[in-house]
Amino acid sequence: MSLLDKINTDNLPKHLAIIMDGNGRWAKQKGMLRAFGHENGTKSVRMTVETCAKLGIANLTLYAFSTENWNRPKLEVDTLMKLLINSLKKELKTLSENNIKLNAIGNLDLLPKSAKKELFEVIKNTENNTRMTLTLALSYGSREEIVSAVKEISEKVKNNIISIGSIDESIINQHLYTRNLPEVDLLIRTSGEHRISNFLLWQIAYAELYFTPVLWPDFKEEDLYEAIISYQKRERRFGKTSEQIK
Ligand code: IPE
Ligand code: IPE
Ligand code: MG
């Protein structure tokens, strides 16, 4: 029995999020520059997007660049931005052929003009696609997202659009960049690090966490299947007892 056969397609995560980590270490192990790792990481991105669409996962969110990643050496930041632009150019066809809609979350205003232009073009071109929503977290930081939500809500309170009393979890959800996405069911992080690094802090409140030592450029279909199989073996209790769930 192959790993794929072990997946129950009736119990897929509705929203899978991935912290794609380990490109730099992968390159270093091979005696290459970090950029080589990032280039090879794009192959894992393509495989993951296509495999998730084929499986029937409705929402895939990929952490591609954090607010903190702006503090890396300029050369690396430039390389990552160039890769982003090239990938967007190259992958529009794949997204269209697979009926995938592109979405982006983060402080996108900080992206270079050319990257923003390319990004919004692909988003526009794929807006009517329905099979899967692929969200790229770019210049994304969960704390920054929460700050921006608090500002927007405060503005509305000030202008009497909403009352303080009506602020609840759903209002907060509606002011996050992820407002149109369901809760995260499964969060995968590659590269053996056991941390969240400012990714979707609010949204992963009840997500199942899966950590693998595999470095992102080495991440293959089978690694994705294993994560989903692990997810499907877990009992999600949401605070209740096991008996209540059954
Ligand atoms: C993930 O790989 C890609 C980004 C954060 C942009 P890293 O570049 O963080 O690789 P490591 O963690 O240094 O190996
Ligand atoms: C998190 O990885 C950000 C992305 C994968 C885009 P980092 O490599 O930046 O995280 P830290 O610095 O190890 O926590
Ligand atoms: Mg890293």
Side-chain angles (χ1 to χ4, degrees), residues 36-235:
F36 184 65
H38 295 312
E39 279 161 28
N40 279 274
T42 62
K43 295 177 190 164
S44 301
V45 173
R46 189 178 312 123
M47 176 287 292
T48 301
V49 170
E50 287 181 353
T51 307
C52 286
K54 258 186 250 161
L55 282 171
I57 290 175
N59 296 280
L60 171 66
T61 298
L62 300 176
Y63 203 6
F65 194 87
S66 73
T67 47
E68 289 74 23
N69 289 150
W70 289 115
N71 299 322
R72 291 193 178 187
K74 185 176 181 308
L75 182 65
E76 179 159 350
V77 172
D78 290 349
T79 304
L80 285 164
M81 292 302 142
K82 263 187 226 142
L83 261 181
L84 170 67
I85 295 168
N86 288 339
S87 301
L88 287 165
K89 279 191 181 142
K90 264 208 311 228
E91 302 306 333
L92 173 59
K93 201 166 157 263
T94 321
L95 296 179
S96 300
E97 281 170 4
N98 286 287
N99 193 13
I100 297 167
K101 174 183 169 143
L102 187 73
N103 176 38
I105 56 173
N107 189 354
L108 305 177
D109 278 337
L110 296 182
L111 295 175
K113 247 199 192 141
S114 47
K116 249 195 299 191
K117 181 176 161 278
E118 211 57 56
L119 181 66
F120 287 123
E121 222 165 274
V122 180
I123 290 176
K124 184 96 199 64
N125 271 291
T126 59
E127 68 183 350
N128 295 320
N129 292 348
T130 52
R131 189 186 190 187
M132 182 174 90
T133 298
L134 166 65
T135 300
L136 296 182
L138 289 167
S139 183
Y140 175 88
S142 192
R143 288 180 172 176
E144 192 272 334
E145 174 184 41
I146 292 168
V147 169
S148 111
V150 169
K151 282 185 182 158
E152 273 183 42
I153 295 170
S154 308
E155 195 65 34
K156 288 185 184 171
V157 169
K158 191 173 117 194
N159 295 319
N160 292 318
I161 297 167
I162 52 178
S163 68
I164 290 183
S166 69
I167 297 174
D168 59 7
E169 292 185 10
S170 133
I171 297 256
I172 293 180
N173 266 323
Q174 286 161 32
H175 292 84
L176 296 173
Y177 299 137
T178 50
R179 69 201 69 160
N180 297 319
L181 299 171
E183 294 240 337
V184 176
D185 295 309
L186 172 61
L187 172 70
I188 299 174
R189 184 173 188 144
T190 59
S191 90
E193 306 296 357
H194 298 114
R195 57 176 173 262
I196 303 299
S197 303
N198 203 9
F199 191 42
L200 303 174
L201 300 178
W202 169 280
Q203 298 87 340
I204 59 165
Y206 261 108
E208 295 298 327
L209 308 180
Y210 182 89
F211 299 99
T212 167
V214 173
L215 301 175
W216 180 247
D218 284 333
F219 191 76
K220 297 281 160 356
E221 263 139 300
E222 286 67 30
D223 300 304
L224 180 59
Y225 297 154
E226 273 185 36
I228 296 170
I229 292 165
S230 161
Y231 166 82
Q232 294 188 331
K233 282 188 189 147
R234 303 182 192 186
E235 181 181 58

